[in-house]
């Protein structure tokens, strides 16, 4: 049986480590492509359209399954604006489609120039407090964020600050779609996933218990089971 081409789009401060568990666990079902932000020119972050087109260009297959986490989920929906005919199925993981409010922009501006502080704050949003004693998980998340580094992070934050509200576009999505969220996601709370699932006709909302923002890293086996079912 031919494998399904699968594009996995990482989020803010996320390298391909984000999907290490999926690269290992889904290789029998899918030919997986994970874009690496370190290989993209910084200019791709000038607009949402340019970032989405760079991601799309990484995918050699004409038609494919598409999944994105957090910022990667937002980019997945941008891809749906320009190449919906190429996407067989869609998975939106720990993400949201609202634009940033002024309070969020102010917090991000206040942390400019303090990358170590940013890493600490992001870790507290990425990982639930009850998982912080899990040193291997925390070390892997910190290593992943460190790989991306300050320059890419700054450009990603600048892009996030100008994102438009994509909720009105969600009803246009017609392909089979799942919306997945950790119950304890502090970065993109569950209500954001609930409103996305309500807006996409026929979609399925899947809540992963005892899990925060990085479902692919915190619960790789459960995530793989969800994605295997989705791919089939």
């Amino acid at each position: 049986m031919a494998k399904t081409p699968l594009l996995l789009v990482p989020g803010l401060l996320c390298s391909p480590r984000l999907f290490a568990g999926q690269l290992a666990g889904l290789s029998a079902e899918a030919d997986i492509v994970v874009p690496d932000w370190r290989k993209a020119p910084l200019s791709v972050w000038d607009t949402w359209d340019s970032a989405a087109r760079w991601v799309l260009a990484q995918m050699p297959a004409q038609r494919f399954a598409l999944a994105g986490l957090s910022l990667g989920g937002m980019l997945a929906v941008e891809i749906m604006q320009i190449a919906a005919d190429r996407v067989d199925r869609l998975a939106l993981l720990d993400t949201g489609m609202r634009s940033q409010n002024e309070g969020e922009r102010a917090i991000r501006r206040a942390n400019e120039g303090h990358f170590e502080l940013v890493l600490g704050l992001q870790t507290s949003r990425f990982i639930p407090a009850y998982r912080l004693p899990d040193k291997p998980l925390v070390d892997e998340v910190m290593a992943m964020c460190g790989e991306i580094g300050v320059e890419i992070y700054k450009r990603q934050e600048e892009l996030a600050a100008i994102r438009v509200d994509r909720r009105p576009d969600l009803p246009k999505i017609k392909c089979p779609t799942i919306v997945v969220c950790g119950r304890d996601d502090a970065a993109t709370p569950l209500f954001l996933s609930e409103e996305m699932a309500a807006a996409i006709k026929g979609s399925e909302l899947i809540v992963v218990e005892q899990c925060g923002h990085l479902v692919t890293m915190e619960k790789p086996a459960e995530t793989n089971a969800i994605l295997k079912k989705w791919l089939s």
Side-chain angles (χ1 to χ4, degrees):
M1 182 181 297
K3 295 182 182 181
T4 301
L6 172 60
L7 177 58
L8 298 176
V9 189
L12 180 83
L13 271 175
C14 294
S15 75
R17 285 182 190 245
L18 179 69
F19 296 117
Q22 291 63 57
L23 287 164
L26 299 176
S27 59
E29 288 81 13
D31 285 322
I32 302 173
V33 173
V34 182
D36 188 337
W37 304 136
R38 295 167 294 179
K39 297 179 179 178
L42 288 176
S43 60
V44 305
W45 302 108
D46 289 348
T47 68
W48 281 94
D49 183 74
S50 60
R53 290 183 186 279
W54 184 84
V55 171
L56 186 61
Q58 309 309 301
M59 199 64 198
Q62 180 59 29
R63 292 186 62 81
F64 53 88
L66 173 61
L69 187 146
S70 195
L71 181 81
M74 298 172 197
L75 284 168
V77 171
E78 293 301 313
I79 289 172
M80 295 300 294
Q81 310 307 306
I82 58 178
D85 59 319
R86 292 184 60 187
V87 179
D88 286 325
R89 59 197 62 238
L90 177 66
L92 301 173
L93 314 177
D94 293 295
T95 192
M97 293 298 132
R98 297 185 178 193
S99 59
Q100 279 193 353
N101 60 44
E102 186 51 41
E104 290 172 316
R105 295 190 189 101
I107 291 171
R108 294 177 191 274
R109 286 196 298 267
N111 292 324
E112 287 178 1
H114 304 280
F115 190 58
E116 293 302 319
L117 175 61
V118 165
L119 288 182
L121 289 173
Q122 292 292 5
T123 300
S124 68
R125 298 173 75 237
F126 284 175
I127 306 174
Y130 57 79
R131 291 299 301 272
L132 292 177
D134 186 342
K135 189 174 186 298
L137 173 65
V138 173
D139 287 350
E140 189 69 5
V141 172
M142 292 298 286
M144 175 180 71
C145 295
E147 284 177 344
I148 295 303
V150 64
E151 289 305 319
I152 296 173
Y153 168 73
K154 285 168 58 178
R155 296 304 295 268
Q156 290 178 327
E157 284 283 29
E158 289 166 5
L159 186 68
I162 62 169
R163 71 177 184 252
V164 300
D165 189 332
R166 280 293 180 200
R167 286 177 293 174
D169 297 299
L170 294 177
K172 302 173 188 175
I173 295 173
K174 304 302 181 185
C175 64
T177 301
I178 59 172
V179 179
V180 182
C181 188
R183 172 75 69 182
D184 305 317
D185 187 345
T188 53
L190 178 58
F191 74 88
L192 297 176
S193 289
E194 292 172 337
E195 68 180 13
M196 288 190 300
I200 303 172
K201 185 176 181 180
S203 66
E204 179 184 5
L205 174 65
I206 302 169
V207 180
V208 180
E209 302 295 340
Q210 288 291 297
C211 186
H213 185 57
L214 303 176
V215 62
T216 56
M217 299 178 78
E218 290 181 56
K219 295 289 185 80
E222 191 166 343
T223 301
N224 289 351
I226 291 167
L227 293 179
K228 282 181 182 180
K229 182 180 177 182
W230 168 70
L231 287 168
S232 68

